[in-house]
Amino acid sequence: MLIREIEGATRHLGTPADWDHSKAACDVLHIADVLTESGPFMVSAWSPTAEELAALNAGAPLYLWIAGRSHPVVALTVGDTSAEGNRAPIDVHQQNETKQEGGIEQ
């Protein structure tokens, strides 16, 4: 998988201090902090390589790997193909405030 830039990125997470680069690469992860009705989430954007896309199209599963022994709440979603596809999901609280102000986004 390839890490992508995400519009509205609020942080750029670097490699953990104790990461062993001889075992695997660890690049900067661009994230957008988003507050939802379910609480705060960190959203990052990824694209499959051509080989991974071919495997997915052939029915291969997509695996989520998490370091450690405890599993946080996660979600996998698919962006759209428009120019808006690189944007992080809208902050639900901001969206609700916008609706209260006549439904016109500012």
Side-chain angles (χ1 to χ4, degrees), residues 1-5 13 26-30 44-47:
M1 287 287 179
L2 305 170
I3 298 171
R4 293 183 55 173
E5 294 278 340
L13 305 180
C26 184
D27 295 320
V28 172
L29 182 62
H30 313 282
S44 59
W46 300 79
S47 289

Side-chain angles (χ1 to χ4, degrees), residues 52-93:
E52 290 166 332
L53 184 57
L56 290 168
N57 285 328
L62 181 64
Y63 293 111
L64 173 66
W65 291 60
I66 298 172
R69 307 283 270 158
S70 110
H71 202 298
V73 174
V74 300
L76 292 175
T77 60
V78 176
D80 61 39
T81 57
S82 72
E84 298 291 309
N86 289 336
R87 296 185 64 193
I90 190 165
D91 179 324
V92 172
H93 293 100

Side-chain angles (χ1 to χ4, degrees), residues 20-63:
D20 185 349
H21 290 277
S22 68
K23 293 183 179 179
C26 184
D27 295 320
V28 172
L29 182 62
H30 313 282
I31 63 163
D33 292 290
V34 178
L35 183 59
T36 73
E37 290 177 347
S38 299
F41 279 82
M42 295 179 290
V43 181
S44 59
W46 300 79
S47 289
T49 64
E51 295 82 14
E52 290 166 332
L53 184 57
L56 290 168
N57 285 328
L62 181 64
Y63 293 111

